[in-house]
Amino acid sequence: MVTYILQRLGLALLTILAISVVSFVIIQLPPGDFVDTYITNLAASGSAVRAEEAAALRIQYGLDQPIWVQYWKWLSRVATGDFGMSMEWGRPVLEVIGDRLWLTIVISIAAILVTWGIALPIGIYSAVRQYSIPDYVFTLIGFVGLAVPNFLLALIIMYFGFKLFDLNIGGLFSAEYQLAPWSWGKIWDLTKHLPLPAVILALAGTAQLIRIMRANLLDELRRPYVTTARARGLPEWRVIMKYPVRAALNPFASTIGYLLPFVVSGSIVVSLVLSLPTVGPLLLRSLIAQDMFLAGTIVLLLGVLTVIGTFISDLILMWIDPRIRAGMHG
Amino acid sequence: MGEPILSVRDLETFFRPDEGIVRAVDGASFDLYPGRTLGIVGESGCGKSVTARSILRIVDHPGKVERGEALLRRGDGRIVDLVAIDAKSAEMRDIRGGEIGYVFQEPMSSLSSFHTIGNQVVEAIRLHRAVSAKEARDRAIELLQLVGIPRPEQRVDSYSFELSGGLRQRVMIALALAAEPRILIADEPTTALDVTTQAQILELIRKIQADRNLAVILITHDMGVIAEMADSVSVMYLGKVVESGPVDTIFHAPRHPYTQALLRSIPSVLAEPRSRLTTIAGSIPHPYARPPGCPFHPRCQNFMPGTCDRSAPPVTRLDPEHEVRCFLYEAPAEAVA
């Protein structure tokens, strides 16, 4: 088992290294180098940089050296937490990202929990009572939910929230906490603001998950071990919850890792509409502004978080699926 | 033999999918006695398994027990009709596993691979007996020992996929016996196993039957297994019991043309080398296109045009224990009419 975990850990580190290469390439993509951009920026604001000053800057940042040396230097800086400067903001990248990364994680997890909380019970019900009227109703709602773009839903809810209840739904914080340092009051404020964006973000995935859960469970319900459980006198709901639902849930553990990038990239428009302080809109803006240190850093951080998520889902699968544990010995 | 422990009369179980109606069990009757084995034999799809599942009321959707009765003499002497009580009732659940244990055909897929075998055996025990978790575990280990699983105190924590097919079928038997039922239904218990293991499993069932005075319903398509195990035999064809009687009568004086054909199709070690194996002509009709009259008539060597394809043959009692459902043996007066 230890071998397996170490193996997974090794693979995870390799993947992170590969992601760092991709991020570095992204940073290098725009024509010219960092100093060129810097000079252009300064020129735009009216001050000029002398040629020897530019050369000194190039040496300082190692831009006169071969690309792999630059990569290594960049990687070494990243390892110490120095992700470079954001062109657009003129501040260190990490400072710009700030709380956004953690807020993204919090809102993603909240959205995932809401998705599962709604989708799994409905999926189970739909499978167990296949072709009943509620099954058809849920299926209809599910497909409508699948078809309606999330941002539209967000706009509609905001509109009615404002019109009917005089609520301002956008953002994750009230105005007085927007810039305030973290405190219990701010956390409570976040908790109050979290449910609505979480539900809106969750709805797209919910429809899909209902269908997946229903299909998985329908497959499992026909298996002989279900009849065996029934034949020993187990009450029907315990038959279903203990055996086929258990088996149908298993595939979900392996999707935990992908959920984070899914929520981040899938929610950019919704985040813009709801003005959520997540990394999605920031990534979009940095790409438009060619703010490559910022964009590269966001890609790197998301990549690393995905690898960590996948590693965690591997561990969970190992914990819940005896067949995987058995495979590790063999 | 005394009173039957289970008495099935005119049991009918139909499946009604959108395409039509399948009469999976179409008037099956038989009696089961403590300590005896009833063999139900027939080709695949003749309704053997559905008959057994109908008794436990665990027929899968869209199947439904439509008519008939299945009278079970319970441990306390009461007689209950399993067809009449609600399939979801507490009493029915009490009977499943508690009075009637069921061994399934597929030991590979009939156990959950997410739970240890101990977990499943303990569950079966505690559903029917008020014992602590610790006691139940001890009993589970005893049961595994009883069914011949080596190192049961370790095996109790294994998963089904870690065991061989033979061991898994032994676990299935342990599961069926967990709550000490008085009836054991073994549904093709050896079909998925190799011949050596097959013999061991049958021997195990026989030994447990003798120890516990179990009434056994053995479902199989294998006449050899029937000859070895059964006291009495019901031969099924397309949902109907076409002939029933003591095992010796069925093997030495079969009356129904289907039974005779089944017996002819058993390979014999005394047969001429390289001679062809006798088969039953034709194949089982499609369930939606059931032949009129006697369902066997298209394949029957003694087919009587105008009789067998017109109406269904009644049951003829040849002697107190031997019944056959065929026009060949109908009382002459009725045949003329």
Side-chain angles (χ1 to χ4, degrees), chain A residues 225 228 232 242-243 322-323, chain B residues 109-110 113-114 119 123 128:
Chain A
Y225 66 83
T228 319
R232 68 182 85 121
K242 180 170 175 187
Y243 296 102
R323 286 170 303 185
Chain B
S109 48
S110 292
S113 40
F114 289 99
N119 177 306
E123 175 188 77
H128 298 283

Side-chain angles (χ1 to χ4, degrees), chain B residues 10-324:
Chain B
D10 305 315
L11 188 69
E12 292 182 9
T13 300
F14 299 163
F15 286 75
R16 298 176 189 273
D18 298 338
E19 294 82 5
I21 176 167
V22 179
R23 295 163 179 269
V25 183
D26 192 9
S29 304
F30 51 81
D31 290 313
L32 184 66
Y33 295 91
R36 315 273 291 178
T37 300
L38 168 71
I40 299 181
V41 71
E43 288 165 278
S44 311
C46 72
K48 298 166 295 193
S49 293
V50 180
T51 304
R53 288 176 190 210
S54 301
I55 294 169
L56 276 189
R57 305 291 304 281
I58 50 171
V59 182
D60 283 332
H61 183 80
K64 194 166 170 279
V65 183
E66 304 266 339
R67 263 185 294 278
E69 52 186 25
L71 301 176
L72 172 74
R73 186 180 297 275
R74 299 208 53 179
D76 54 14
R78 280 184 308 127
I79 291 180
V80 291
D81 182 1
L82 302 180
V83 175
I85 56 181
D86 180 7
K88 289 179 183 150
S89 64
E91 175 158 38
M92 196 67 238
R93 290 203 308 270
D94 196 32
I95 290 166
R96 289 182 198 136
E99 299 266 15
I100 306 175
Y102 202 124
V103 177
F104 286 84
Q105 183 174 156
E106 294 275 339
M108 317 292 159
S109 48
S110 292
L111 291 163
S112 164
S113 40
F114 289 99
H115 302 85
T116 60
I117 56 179
N119 177 306
Q120 291 168 79
V121 177
V122 164
E123 175 188 77
I125 294 171
R126 299 193 73 191
L127 271 172
H128 298 283
R129 301 280 175 269
V131 293
S132 69
K134 173 81 181 69
E135 279 174 86
R137 190 184 152 87
D138 291 343
R139 265 200 214 190
I141 294 172
E142 277 170 41
L143 268 169
L144 295 180
Q145 176 122 46
L146 175 81
V147 297
I149 289 174
R151 289 180 287 117
E153 57 293 328
Q154 286 163 37
R155 288 297 188 194
V156 73
D157 294 319
S158 327
Y159 293 90
S160 60
F161 53 80
E162 295 170 325
L163 305 179
S164 67
L167 283 187
R168 274 182 234 187
Q169 196 53 295
R170 287 172 194 268
V171 172
M172 288 300 297
I173 294 174
L175 257 178
L177 293 174
E180 295 164 36
R182 295 175 309 131
I183 297 175
L184 183 72
I185 298 177
D187 186 354
E188 303 266 11
T190 57
T191 305
L193 306 174
D194 63 74
V195 185
T196 324
T197 320
Q198 203 169 4
Q200 291 168 354
I201 295 289
L202 292 177
E203 183 50 43
L204 173 68
I205 293 177
R206 202 154 36 197
K207 181 176 151 284
I208 292 166
Q209 175 178 32
D211 290 349
R212 302 192 170 195
N213 201 29
L214 269 178
V216 175
I217 297 179
L218 181 70
I219 295 168
T220 179
H221 60 271
D222 187 338
M223 283 304 238
V225 171
I226 292 285
E228 204 176 320
M229 299 285 290
D231 298 300
S232 55
V233 183
S234 289
V235 181
M236 284 189 78
Y237 187 79
L238 282 188
K240 288 185 189 295
V241 174
V242 294
E243 184 165 9
S244 61
V247 68
D248 287 342
T249 314
I250 295 294
F251 274 85
H252 296 121
R255 287 285 178 263
H256 198 283
Y258 178 61
T259 317
Q260 293 166 351
L262 266 186
L263 287 166
R264 269 198 305 274
S265 63
I266 302 175
S268 165
V269 283
L270 303 174
E272 187 92 351
R274 276 179 291 281
S275 61
R276 289 187 78 92
L277 200 60
T278 321
T279 54
I280 304 177
S283 58
I284 297 187
H286 190 274
Y288 297 133
R290 188 190 188 76
C294 171
F296 188 59
H297 83 257
R299 305 171 73 186
C300 184
Q301 293 188 329
N302 309 79
F303 171 50
M304 297 179 285
T307 305
C308 300
D309 50 358
R310 286 271 171 77
S311 52
V315 174
T316 309
R317 181 166 293 201
L318 301 170
D319 67 53
E321 287 181 44
H322 190 188
E323 290 181 346
V324 64

